[in-house]
Amino acid sequence: GKGNYRHFMEKELHEHPAVLGDTLRQYLDPKTLEVRLPRLPFDPARIGRLTISACGSAFLAGMVGRYWIEQLARLPVDADVASEFRYRNPPLADGGAAILISQSGETADNMAALRLLREAGQRVLSVVNVPESSMARESDGALLTVAGPEIGVASTKAFTAQLAVLACLAIGFGRARRELSTLDEGRLAQTLLEVPSHAAAILEQDAQIRELAMEVAKARDVLFLGRGAMYPIALEGALKLKEISYIHAEGYAAGEMKHGPIALIDSDVPVIALCPSGPLFEKTASNLQEAAARGGRVMAFTDAEGEAALRRFAERVIVLPRIGEFATPILYAIPVQLLAYHVAVLKGTDVDQPRNLAKSVTVE
Ligand code: F6R
């Protein structure tokens, strides 16, 4: 049941800390700070390229995974939504490898991609939440997200659990390919292990996020901006908002705004910025300042180190716990999902069963 929560989505949002802890403990030894992966269907040290494919939020997790794997393991990654993947007729070298990501493990587009990949001689690893699902069974190997059943149609805890698994995979690949030292691995593992308690702290900022939601609920259009691995989280924020509140939202790479979407900016469009301190902060902040200079209402998520710079022009700044850059996509996914939830509640939509959507999409 829903316990004391109004919706399954709210309950599932509050499961983030526990689910992240459970999923990380599955693949990370907190004592030795080592990633422990089960036997994989391919050797990450021997592949020249990796394909990632999935749908919806799971695909956005895959986009973050691409960023991490390319950074930490120096392995080229191709990421494509499953419904488009096969129409590209992608050239796949024999002996190649792929990762498919899915909560349900029953998404028809993924199953079609899975069959194509296997016919093309690829070894397929699934990251999946349902162990007995078709995808888990038909893949060459499966890594489980330990999210438990997800009832709300909009994916929440399954998404961050997917990120946790992909983060561990990226570290494991980095080590296997000799791109990461034991020291690097320990530092990254330590950062990941800080995620669950910071996730709990973010859930306690609920009232602040609800206040932001009251502004967002009045808007007709909303822009979400982020750079680097925060760009897919901007897309996730926009997807969640569209899905459950029916407000039109777009996610953009912050630096791409000047190439078009900045034309949309006026005083009616909230610009939700995902802007943690770190190597991408300055450039992102200057993109946001451009939006503010054109009358845009910048509402930023950052940490204590980014706060002062953003306060100079942002209408609202929500200060999140500070964490190593590597883990920021996992952490920042939580407030954007929570924001969408509160906006939907304020709008009175059917949060757990949004119109036209199904939890498991079994048609292509
Ligand atoms: C977004 C959402 C959908 C699913 C997508 C894939 O909140 O729930 O976009 O992420 O339909 O579903 P799975 O992960 O079951 O393959």
Side-chain angles (χ1 to χ4, degrees):
K2 284 181 274 204
N4 291 328
Y5 295 104
R6 284 165 297 176
H7 302 97
F8 280 106
M9 185 179 178
E10 186 185 32
K11 173 174 180 264
E12 289 161 2
L13 280 163
H14 285 267
E15 287 170 6
H16 274 304
V19 161
L20 286 164
D22 291 346
T23 303
L24 289 170
R25 268 190 303 277
Q26 188 77 29
Y27 302 109
L28 200 72
D29 185 330
K31 289 204 197 74
T32 62
L33 298 179
E34 272 172 346
V35 164
R36 295 251 170 91
L37 299 172
R39 238 189 119 70
L40 299 177
F42 52 83
D43 179 351
R46 284 167 185 242
I47 52 175
R49 157 154 231 109
L50 178 72
T51 298
I52 294 183
S53 192
C55 307
S57 282
F59 170 69
L60 302 177
M63 281 178 75
V64 176
R66 167 172 68 184
Y67 189 89
W68 283 334
I69 292 168
E70 291 195 334
Q71 295 301 308
L72 300 182
R74 310 306 303 156
L75 173 65
V77 178
D78 223 4
D80 211 345
V81 291
S83 59
E84 284 299 318
F85 173 65
R86 64 173 130 164
Y87 303 109
R88 269 170 54 213
N89 190 12
L92 298 164
D94 211 39
I99 295 178
L100 296 182
I101 308 160
S102 176
Q103 188 285 125
S104 63
E106 301 298 343
T107 305
D109 290 318
N110 289 333
M111 293 309 291
L114 171 57
R115 286 170 193 139
L116 181 144
L117 284 161
R118 298 203 67 227
E119 274 160 30
Q122 307 297 294
R123 304 283 290 168
V124 181
L125 175 67
S126 285
V127 174
V128 61
N129 197 41
V130 182
E132 57 279 3
S133 60
S134 311
M135 229 172 94
R137 275 185 284 115
E138 288 188 33
S139 299
D140 299 296
L143 293 184
L144 299 177
T145 44
V146 194
E150 196 180 62
I151 310 294
V153 162
S155 183
T156 51
K157 59 177 179 166
F159 176 73
T160 51
Q162 287 159 356
L163 291 177
V165 172
L166 291 164
C168 292
L169 272 174
I171 296 173
F173 288 4
R175 182 182 59 204
R177 295 170 65 84
R178 301 181 183 279
E179 295 288 345
L180 285 183
S181 65
T182 311
L183 202 70
D184 294 331
E185 180 174 0
R187 190 176 42 81
L188 295 168
Q190 190 60 58
T191 298
L192 285 179
L193 291 169
E194 288 168 17
V195 169
S197 63
H198 287 331
I202 289 176
L203 291 170
E204 285 179 9
Q205 294 178 279
D206 191 69
Q208 238 185 322
I209 294 168
R210 195 168 173 284
E211 263 179 47
L212 172 60
M214 286 162 76
E215 291 302 318
V216 173
K218 293 183 224 153
R220 202 191 60 178
D221 309 282
V222 179
L223 271 177
F224 285 81
L225 301 179
R227 253 180 198 263
M230 217 49 80
Y231 165 46
I233 304 304
L235 294 171
E236 165 69 1
L239 175 60
K240 276 302 99 99
L241 192 68
K242 281 184 270 215
E243 212 177 359
I244 62 172
S245 78
Y246 315 145
I247 293 177
H248 170 238
E250 291 196 51
Y252 258 94
E256 185 65 11
M257 211 189 33
K258 60 187 172 297
H259 300 293
I262 199 161
L264 290 173
I265 301 277
D266 65 24
S267 57
D268 291 330
V269 183
V271 178
I272 315 275
L274 308 178
C275 195
S277 63
L280 304 178
F281 181 85
E282 292 300 327
K283 283 236 166 87
T284 312
S286 93
N287 300 141
L288 300 176
Q289 199 163 6
E290 281 160 29
R294 285 158 182 81
R297 303 174 58 196
V298 175
M299 309 191 178
F301 289 100
T302 186
D303 50 40
E305 198 172 308
E307 181 182 2
L310 298 179
R311 287 237 187 257
R312 282 186 216 120
F313 56 83
E315 179 176 318
R316 256 167 213 275
V317 178
I318 295 187
V319 181
L320 302 176
R322 183 142 183 248
I323 195 161
E325 195 221 355
F326 175 53
T328 51
I330 314 180
L331 219 51
Y332 280 60
I334 298 170
V336 299
Q337 292 180 346
L338 201 54
L339 174 65
Y341 172 75
H342 283 306
V343 174
V345 170
L346 289 164
K347 298 219 98 176
T349 58
D350 189 347
V351 176
D352 284 333
Q353 287 286 334
R355 66 187 184 202
N356 312 337
L357 292 171
K359 184 65 182 161
S360 174
V361 184
T362 51
V363 292
E364 289 180 49

